[in-house]
Amino acid sequence: MEQQSRDFLRLADEAIASPERSENREMLGAFMPTLREKAVKDFGGNEDFDALRNDVKAIRQHALEHLGHYLETFTRNARENGSSVNFARNGDELNEIVLDICARSEASRVAKGKSMITEETGLNGALEAAGFSVRETDLGEYIIQEAGETPSHIVGPALHKTQSEIRELFLERHQLGERDLASAGEMVAEARQVLREDFLAAEVGIIGSNALIAENGYSMLVTNEGNGDLCANLPPVLIICTSIDRILPRTDDAMAMLRLLVRSTTGQAVSCYTSFYAGPRRPGDVDGPLETHFVLLDNKRSDILASDYAEMLQCIRCGACLNHCPVYMSAGGHAYGWVYPGPMGSVLTPLLTSLEESYLLPDACTACGRCEEVCPASIPLPGLLRDLRHEAFTEGITATRWRLGIGLHGWLARHPRLYQKVTGFAVSVMHRLGRRRGVIRKLPFAGGWLEARDLPTPAAKTFQQEHQDSLEQ
Ligand code: SF4
């Protein structure tokens, strides 16, 4: 997927101005905030939720601190189960390994389950360029594949689409005859009908993984549609693409993570399907793939693990931070310009690509702190975003006018007497400007900020001036 994070401001402006996105925003705005409340209630209150959060955090931290050991254990056990385990240093390597497996299988059709890792590596484009036909089988992924778009949310890839947009899309792309797809149920049935043929015809199935379990070499996958199981069990060849940080020591650890993941993602107590893939079909098995291949992506994750941002690897990809982020909810996922949007994307994108390309993303934050509050992995997202902003500033990546402004503010803050004089003067001018209307609608250097909001007229004096006056009286 081509990275456009440099265009964040333009893409966000366009999304905010779009009438379709406005309709979509209202719908999501009413739905999303209830998810966390439901999760906490299901656990019997904040205490139990926080206790499990701490346990899972400790498990993830331990797994990442011993990543090499657990990857080795996983690899040994998965190979003993009959799977092949491949490691890819970057996206191109992952794509090459998958292409090679597909070519060796003499495949022409691939059925795919939802996988953000393959979005990260641009696998669909690579497969299609090599002549393979690829069908996304998760309903949301199928919709955006038909629309020629990219996911806007890590859990609900087509959340940006309204029901009427999806209906129009199906009317245009499918041979429908008399059927007019008046309800959501009819659209789902339509997609199911189309996808059924793809499941049966595909020679290769590709899926992602929510957890790699070291103690037995299994992979756990959580879905609500069951499409992952069809991709995994119907085609003769199964490829599981995921990243090295998905490793967990034991099945019990995966179950603990599952309890947090599902509640934080959709507010459900448990997902419709939780599947464990143990390798290729064994003698006596009635179904299952004839071959199972793991492709495990690094793509700078080893570097992140050794950096001050290592905590970000504890992310369990639940999407809760997106659902509660005012910036994501206004701008939508496509504005972030790459695979991972919202607060987690604003941290991950600069780390997985480059800060030069995506330095605007850490600024896309109101510092409200809601993302950290709802994150089931307790990742200090606002702190990590602040660290990235600091890094962009110190490395000279931040735009010159911002650097000058922040530098000037920093210098003034180190000279308190001058700072008080300058702020006192500015406040008295602003007071005079807005006295009559009660609000200020224009200010030099703050045009963008005032475009969508009014600034209440400040008092005639700063708090410190008032305090000084009261001492002198
Ligand atoms: S950062 Fe936390 S809230 Fe966001 S997707 Fe990851 S685990 Fe979920």
Side-chain angles (χ1 to χ4, degrees):
M1 183 176 167
E2 193 194 340
Q3 198 195 347
Q4 293 183 299
S5 305
R6 258 181 196 276
D7 287 337
F8 175 77
L9 294 176
R10 178 181 64 76
L11 294 169
D13 272 351
E14 285 172 8
I16 289 166
S18 151
E20 286 83 21
R21 295 294 70 78
S22 160
E23 188 187 325
N24 191 251
R25 246 190 326 270
E26 272 175 36
M27 189 269 291
L28 294 180
F31 171 65
M32 293 302 195
T34 61
L35 289 180
R36 202 242 172 194
E37 281 69 34
K38 190 167 179 321
V40 169
K41 199 162 140 241
D42 282 354
F43 272 99
N46 270 314
E47 246 169 59
D48 288 351
F49 186 75
D50 287 342
L52 184 61
R53 223 156 61 142
N54 292 340
D55 287 351
V56 172
K57 189 170 180 69
I59 292 166
R60 295 280 293 141
Q61 198 166 336
H62 169 83
L64 289 165
E65 280 169 7
H66 301 85
L67 184 63
H69 165 72
Y70 286 118
L71 281 175
E72 261 180 50
T73 312
F74 172 82
T75 304
R76 190 174 59 248
N77 288 329
R79 286 181 179 155
E80 272 174 20
N81 296 337
S83 305
S84 84
V85 182
N86 309 270
F87 288 87
R89 278 171 298 186
N90 53 42
D92 288 344
E93 276 193 12
L94 181 139
N95 293 350
E96 276 167 29
I97 294 168
V98 173
L99 282 169
D100 187 47
I101 297 169
C102 291
R104 278 192 279 124
S105 313
E106 297 182 2
S108 62
R109 298 180 69 160
V110 176
K112 269 187 80 228
K114 196 169 89 55
S115 153
M116 295 311 287
I117 288 300
T118 60
E119 295 286 345
E120 189 179 318
T121 68
L123 178 63
N124 284 15
L127 282 167
E128 282 163 359
F132 296 97
S133 141
V134 185
R135 174 64 85 194
E136 291 287 352
T137 63
D138 170 90
L139 180 59
E141 288 281 354
Y142 171 66
I143 290 166
I144 59 170
Q145 187 185 30
E146 287 289 84
E149 296 175 7
T150 53
S152 61
H153 189 286
I154 58 170
V155 178
L159 266 181
H160 60 286
K161 287 244 169 283
T162 61
Q163 190 171 319
S164 57
E165 284 176 313
I166 297 167
R167 178 173 174 272
E168 288 301 318
L169 179 71
F170 282 8
L171 290 177
E172 187 191 311
R173 306 280 299 187
H174 294 184
Q175 307 294 324
L176 289 169
E178 296 297 302
R179 291 172 299 142
D180 75 344
L181 304 183
S183 68
E186 285 177 62
M187 290 182 230
V188 173
E190 169 64 20
R192 183 181 290 141
Q193 195 60 36
V194 172
L195 292 172
R196 188 161 297 164
E197 289 171 24
D198 291 295
F199 288 125
L200 292 169
E203 296 97 355
V204 172
I206 298 178
I207 58 172
S209 172
N210 293 96
L212 299 169
I213 301 166
E215 70 175 356
N216 51 23
Y218 292 6
S219 167
M220 181 178 81
L221 183 70
V222 180
T223 71
N224 269 329
E225 299 173 20
N227 64 308
D229 290 330
L230 294 174
C231 287
N233 288 306
L234 292 178
V237 177
L238 168 63
I239 307 176
I240 299 174
C241 295
T242 190
S243 52
I244 54 172
D245 51 318
R246 296 300 100 202
I247 200 86
L248 287 175
R250 303 168 309 146
T251 309
D252 282 354
D253 302 329
M255 299 317 291
M257 190 189 81
L258 183 67
R259 293 184 67 211
L260 268 185
L261 173 68
V262 181
R263 284 179 166 89
S264 302
T265 302
T266 55
Q268 295 164 284
V270 69
S271 54
C272 295
Y273 302 91
T274 301
S275 307
F276 293 85
Y277 301 109
R281 191 186 301 189
R282 292 161 200 167
D285 286 352
V286 291
D287 59 13
L290 301 177
E291 294 176 23
T292 300
H293 305 271
F294 286 94
V295 190
L296 310 184
L297 179 71
D298 186 318
N299 203 24
K300 296 196 181 173
R301 284 164 176 84
S302 300
D303 298 339
I304 299 173
L305 188 58
S307 75
D308 293 339
Y309 301 99
E311 262 183 290
M312 195 58 223
L313 293 179
Q314 292 171 15
C315 172
I316 59 173
R317 304 291 191 271
C318 71
C321 58
L322 281 64
N323 304 343
H324 292 82
C325 173
V327 177
Y328 174 86
M329 292 300 275
S330 297
H334 288 152
Y336 292 78
W338 200 54
V339 182
Y340 303 106
M344 57 84 78
S346 295
V347 178
L348 263 186
T349 304
L351 300 176
L352 293 179
T353 60
S354 73
L355 193 54
E356 283 82 2
E357 277 302 312
S358 44
Y359 69 94
L360 288 173
L361 300 188
D363 285 335
C365 171
T366 62
C368 69
R370 187 76 171 132
C371 52
E372 183 172 1
E373 198 183 311
V374 298
C375 174
S378 300
I379 297 173
L381 291 157
L384 296 179
L385 289 168
R386 194 186 51 235
D387 291 348
L388 283 167
R389 286 201 292 272
H390 179 69
E391 200 176 318
F393 182 84
T394 49
E395 287 185 12
I397 298 169
T398 310
T400 310
R401 66 181 192 285
W402 290 110
R403 291 174 53 71
L404 286 175
I406 294 167
L408 179 64
H409 184 271
W411 184 81
L412 269 178
R414 289 193 299 275
H415 297 81
R417 279 175 189 278
L418 186 59
Y419 185 89
Q420 284 163 21
K421 283 208 166 74
V422 171
T423 50
F425 175 71
V427 159
S428 75
V429 171
M430 283 163 64
H431 176 75
R432 263 178 263 144
L433 276 178
R435 194 171 35 190
R436 205 171 297 159
R437 284 196 183 148
V439 292
I440 296 173
R441 298 212 168 108
K442 275 190 185 158
L443 269 183
F445 309 115
W449 198 82
L450 289 170
E451 223 170 65
R453 47 176 90 70
D454 293 332
L455 177 69
T457 305
K461 290 182 178 178
T462 65
F463 178 77
Q464 276 183 325
Q465 284 172 326
E466 296 276 8
H467 179 61
Q468 197 60 41
D469 289 353
S470 71
L471 290 180
E472 284 166 11
Q473 278 167 16

